[in-house]
Amino acid sequence: MHTPVALLLELGVILAALSVLGTLARRFTLSPIPLYLLAGLAIGEGGIAPVPAAGGFVETGATIGVVLLLLALGLEFSLPEFAVGMRRHVPSALADVAMNATPGAVAGWLLGLDGIGILALAGATYISSSGIIARLLADLRRLGNRETPAVLSVLVMEDCAMALYLPVLAVLASGGQWWQAVLGVLAAVGAVLAAFTVSYRWGHHVGRLVSHPDAEQLMLRVLGLTLIVAALAELVHASAAVGAFLVGLTLTGETATRTRDVLSPLRDLFAAVFFLAIGLSIDPGDLLPALPTALALAAVTIVTKVVTGRFAASRDGVGRRGQLRAGTALIARGEFSLVIVGLVGTMHDSLGPLVTAYVFILAIAGPVLTRLAGAVPLGRRQPPVADAQDGAA
């Protein structure tokens, strides 16, 4: 077998660099996500140290990284509890659409985009990054916080909304007929509902199916099942993230605990690759011309996402500090926004650089603001009862 020397060398250098950056971030009690994104920008197309041989691995690894991040997130919660939370947060989802799609639509209109361009920019400003936020909550040890179920409910409903949105946008962007968009939406909605039903009614059988005393067998079974479900979800535009999250929700008890243990190193590896890939996909030369508009749009949607998160957390009875943590956790944009611009980017020369700059700004600002929100008290010190309600910072 021929050994690809360039691939091994580039991957070795990349992983060593990520290790140094991760150590540096944790030394200052920060999330390493912004540093990983900047590293990707440095080695991507137009960067200072391109890695052509490793590009294919990074792209594939990024997809696996999102799947593993959402699988791990699902393992922290039970399906019945999450289903109750989803029903409670329908108003939060509606507020999310109204407050975060509107700035993108207005910006598209002011920039003179056509209807498809306006629809695409509205979607890019609406959808948060499940991958970035999942890792961020784990890094900051907030998975057990009272506001986290509200954040997850909003994220999952956003990903489900993409099942309606992406088929319509793809058909319109390709010049297809209205009935093709309707069929795509119906297929995606049917698949999402079927997946939730199967997980809710027969999910307990999944634990027995994948459970095994040998750690290697458990890892292979859970990972294989998750990738299959994620692939089926993507096939109907329902998001691999939703599929992986549902698999995590169906595993409970000892199986879930052991799965977290055996998959944690793999999740951390591919999560780092995912963040690197976002930066890798961006050409620094494309960012500068669009930066002023992207900064203005980012400033507006930081505020609207914070309001969204605070509203969602307040519905769960979370205190002020927890509401602020929930709002800042939703700021980051990432993979879905880039997918959206990929569908219509060739039709609008200005849209691709704008969304790319916008995503990069918020992918860095989101983790930083989330970290600060947990460290800075709001006004006067809360009484002990209120602090306990907020959960651990």
Side-chain angles (χ1 to χ4, degrees):
M1 180 186 297
H2 174 67
T3 302
V5 176
L7 172 62
L8 295 178
L9 180 61
E10 289 179 3
L11 283 178
V13 172
I14 286 172
L15 295 179
L18 292 179
S19 172
V20 172
L21 294 174
T23 301
L24 181 65
R26 287 184 170 85
R27 183 180 179 85
F28 296 98
T29 65
L30 298 173
S31 170
I33 292 172
L35 296 182
Y36 291 165
L37 293 167
L38 290 172
L41 189 68
I43 65 176
E45 182 180 352
I48 58 175
V51 286
F57 174 86
V58 171
E59 184 177 351
T60 303
T63 302
I64 298 173
V66 174
V67 168
L68 290 176
L69 282 168
L70 271 295
L71 169 65
L73 201 58
L75 290 169
E76 301 288 339
F77 301 90
S78 70
L79 189 56
E81 292 173 346
F82 189 73
V84 171
M86 288 278 284
R87 288 194 293 270
R88 186 188 304 124
H89 285 289
V90 170
S92 305
L94 296 176
D96 187 21
V97 174
M99 285 191 285
N100 295 290
T102 301
V106 171
W109 176 69
L110 292 175
L111 292 170
L113 299 178
D114 60 15
I116 296 175
I118 291 173
L119 182 64
L121 191 53
T125 60
Y126 160 65
I127 185 73
S128 299
S129 171
S130 298
I132 293 176
I133 294 167
R135 177 57 187 268
L136 190 59
L137 293 174
D139 281 346
L140 299 177
R141 299 180 181 179
R142 296 183 184 173
L143 292 175
N145 281 22
R146 284 199 62 199
E147 74 273 6
T148 298
V151 173
L152 296 183
S153 295
V154 171
L155 285 178
V156 171
M157 284 190 281
E158 284 185 354
D159 284 353
C160 290
M162 287 291 106
L164 306 176
Y165 172 85
L166 287 179
V168 173
L169 183 65
V171 170
L172 294 176
S174 64
Q177 301 297 316
W178 66 268
W179 57 268
Q180 293 175 305
V182 171
L183 287 178
V185 168
L186 291 176
V189 171
V192 171
L193 292 177
F196 270 104
T197 301
V198 169
S199 297
Y200 191 82
R201 292 184 176 274
W202 299 288
H204 57 283
H205 295 300
V206 176
R208 291 201 293 266
L209 176 67
V210 301
S211 182
H212 196 279
D214 182 67
E216 179 184 356
Q217 281 295 317
L218 178 64
M219 179 187 70
L220 292 174
R221 292 181 182 190
V222 173
L223 185 57
L225 175 64
T226 303
L227 292 176
I228 291 170
V229 173
L232 293 175
E234 279 291 318
L235 188 64
V236 294
H237 303 288
S239 169
V242 170
F245 186 73
L246 284 175
V247 173
L249 285 176
T250 61
L251 301 179
T252 57
E254 183 184 357
T255 301
T257 301
R258 292 184 60 230
T259 299
R260 283 195 296 269
D261 292 339
V262 300
L263 287 180
S264 288
L266 202 62
R267 176 205 63 191
D268 293 343
L269 169 63
F270 284 102
V273 172
F274 163 66
F275 302 123
L276 185 79
I278 293 180
L280 198 66
S281 65
I282 296 172
D283 187 339
D286 292 338
L287 299 180
L288 293 178
L291 207 53
T293 304
L295 283 169
L297 192 57
V300 172
T301 53
I302 283 174
V303 175
T304 55
K305 276 294 182 183
V306 170
V307 173
T308 299
R310 296 194 68 161
F311 174 68
S314 70
R315 294 185 60 80
D316 283 348
V318 177
R320 291 177 62 206
R321 290 187 65 185
Q323 292 176 24
L324 181 60
R325 289 195 297 264
T328 54
L330 291 171
I331 288 172
R333 295 348 186 249
E335 63 278 10
F336 263 129
S337 298
L338 296 175
V339 167
I340 290 169
V341 76
L343 291 175
V344 300
T346 56
M347 301 173 59
H348 303 84
D349 294 336
S350 62
L351 189 58
L354 172 59
V355 173
T356 299
Y358 172 78
V359 166
F360 198 73
I361 291 167
L362 292 185
I364 292 177
V368 173
L369 292 174
T370 305
R371 173 67 181 84
L372 293 176
V376 180
L378 292 181
R380 304 171 102 186
R381 178 174 172 79
Q382 301 274 0
V385 173
D387 280 346
Q389 288 179 344
D390 280 349

